[in-house]
Every structure is written in structure tokens, then in C-alpha cells.
Amino acid sequence: MHWSLDQLEVLIACAEQGSFSSAARHLGRAQSAISTAIAYLEADLGCSLFDRSARLPRLTEAGKALLHEARAVVRQCQRLDSRARAIAQGEEAQLVLAIDEALVEMPPVDETLEALARHYPALQLTLLYGAQGDIAGWVEDRTADLGILLRQQGQGRVLEGIRIAHLQQALVVGRTHPLAELPAPTAGDLADHRQLLIASRSEGAAGATLSAQFWRLNSFYSMGELAARGLGWALVPQHIAQYPPFREDLVELSGEALGRPPVIEVETVSRRDAAQGPIARWLRQTLGERFRDRRQR
């Protein structure tokens, strides 16, 4: 193989410009240099790429087939060049991002991933989706570089959390549950029935329970589903209370008995001893902006 990337670019220019002379003007070269480059490419490939019997050269069948391959090779080389420049400028060549499953399909997260694909096309991204507690663990053991999750206590000394948003929560029960008949239950009413809680990574950091009867789960979606089945009451993010598979089976109650308006923070976590590159920092900032924009609508 003796052909060069430059020869492929000349082939593409000739095909797109319609003639050797137009390709020469487009590339800023002499027409003779273009003709020579095509002749050498044909010799290297062992086939004729253009039919020169007419006034303007036309691609042969072989030329049409190889034009497609030439474009693919040039695009791959452009991606290689883009990645090399990004790495030289300090951008991450690859990133492992872990996302709490409770945030899946949320518009701010989806919009940020779409923007990431546009702004950093050369990035090799790995997405890990996990239940509550998995995310911080993956960042802590270096399986992931950055985590996006709903805040928990007890995330470990090596992790640093930065709040980027907060979500309103809803107090919900199933339509057949006794509490469904009490739109504004008291703390005593809630204490009489099973409470569904999110499990913490650390037992010592487990959230306070209002009821002596409680189940712990590692998924807000599972909490919503069990609540819809009448197995207890739960405090879940508002978007999970509206999740289509079970929202018709849930009743939202007043949360005044729980004290201050219930909110839960969205945060990013990373290891304090691991430097964050410009793409990770861009992700943090953009996620925060998307959540703020959504809240203001």
C-alpha cells in the first residue's frame, strides 16, 4: 500500500467539484498536480478511477465504490486528528460517567448528554447506570470518573460532592392504602403505617424513620412501584411520582407532617485525589444550567 491520505483527499475533491480543474482551484493547486495525484493513486490501487474519454472526467464503477471508502478513511483520520488535539490541550480522551437510575430520562440529563456529543465528538464516553448507592461506590473505587446522583449521607471521605440542583419530593401512597383517605395525614398517621425508605451506603448514615415499620430499597422507582401496590408510604422525587407505569395507582398526600418542604439534592461526586479535566468540569456546569433552566420554565 503506497497511496496517501493526500491522494484520497484529491480523489474526493475531483468527484465533488466535477473536474480536475475545479478541484485544482478548490485545493489551491496546479491542475497538473491534481492529474498526477490521481494517476499515481490509480496505479497504487490497480484500477482506473475516472473515465477520461468525455470532456469532463467521470467516475468509473470502481471509482464510485472506492470514493465511499476514501471518504470513510478521511473521516476517521479527521477524528484521529481531533482526538490528538484534544488530548494535547488537556481534554480527557475518555470519560466514565455513572448516573443514578432515578435521573434516567430526566430532560436536563438527556439534554446535557446531547450537548456533550456535539461539543466533544472525539470523547470516548462510557455510561454506567446504577441503583442508589452504586454511583458513589463506582466513583470511590475508580470504576467511574464522575457520578451524578441524588444526594446521600455517608459517601466516604475520599469523595467530594457538589450540588447542582434540587428536586421537589412527593409523599405518595397507593390508591387502595388506608392513608389515601387522609389527604393531609399527621405524623401519627404516618407512623402507624409502613414507611418505604431509600437505602444508604452506610448504616450509620441511614435516614431517620418516622414509622417503626419500614422497608429499605436501593431504588426510588422500586419505592414508587411498591407504594402503588399499597405496601407502604414513600417520599420520592416528583418526577418518579409521575412515572407513567404506576402514576395512576398513586395518590399524592400533603407532606406538612414531615416538616419543611421536602426536597432532595442532585449532585455530582468525584474523588478528591483525582483531578477533573475540562470535560468533566463542563459537564458539571452544563448540568446545573439545564436543571436551572427547567425549573424556571
Side-chain angles (χ1 to χ4, degrees), residues 20 31-32 39 44 47 51 58 65 72 106 117 141 155-156 173 184 206 209 217 226 238-239 250 264 271 281 287:
F20 290 1
Q31 182 173 339
S32 59
D44 290 337
C47 59
D51 179 355
R58 294 177 299 178
M106 286 202 73
D141 67 15
Q155 289 180 344
V173 294
T209 60
L217 300 91
L226 293 188
Q238 189 73 54
H239 70 281
L250 288 175
I264 188 168
R271 287 184 61 98
R281 295 195 297 271
L287 273 168

Side-chain angles (χ1 to χ4, degrees), residues 167 201 264:
L167 304 177
R201 294 182 65 227
I264 188 168

Side-chain angles (χ1 to χ4, degrees), residues 25-94:
R25 287 193 296 273
H26 177 72
L27 296 175
R29 304 185 190 182
Q31 182 173 339
S32 59
I34 299 298
S35 299
T36 299
I38 293 296
Y40 280 139
L41 180 59
E42 289 176 324
D44 290 337
L45 295 175
C47 59
S48 185
L49 301 173
F50 288 94
D51 179 355
R52 299 170 176 78
S53 61
R55 187 175 67 88
L56 295 176
R58 294 177 299 178
L59 283 168
T60 63
E61 290 303 313
K64 292 176 183 177
L66 293 175
L67 176 63
H68 174 76
E69 302 294 339
R71 283 175 171 149
V73 170
V74 169
R75 284 195 296 268
Q76 184 59 43
C77 289
Q78 290 170 340
R79 286 192 288 268
L80 172 65
D81 188 56
S82 176
R83 287 197 65 204
R85 288 200 307 272
I87 293 170
Q89 293 168 2
E91 291 180 4
E92 301 93 320
Q94 55 188 11

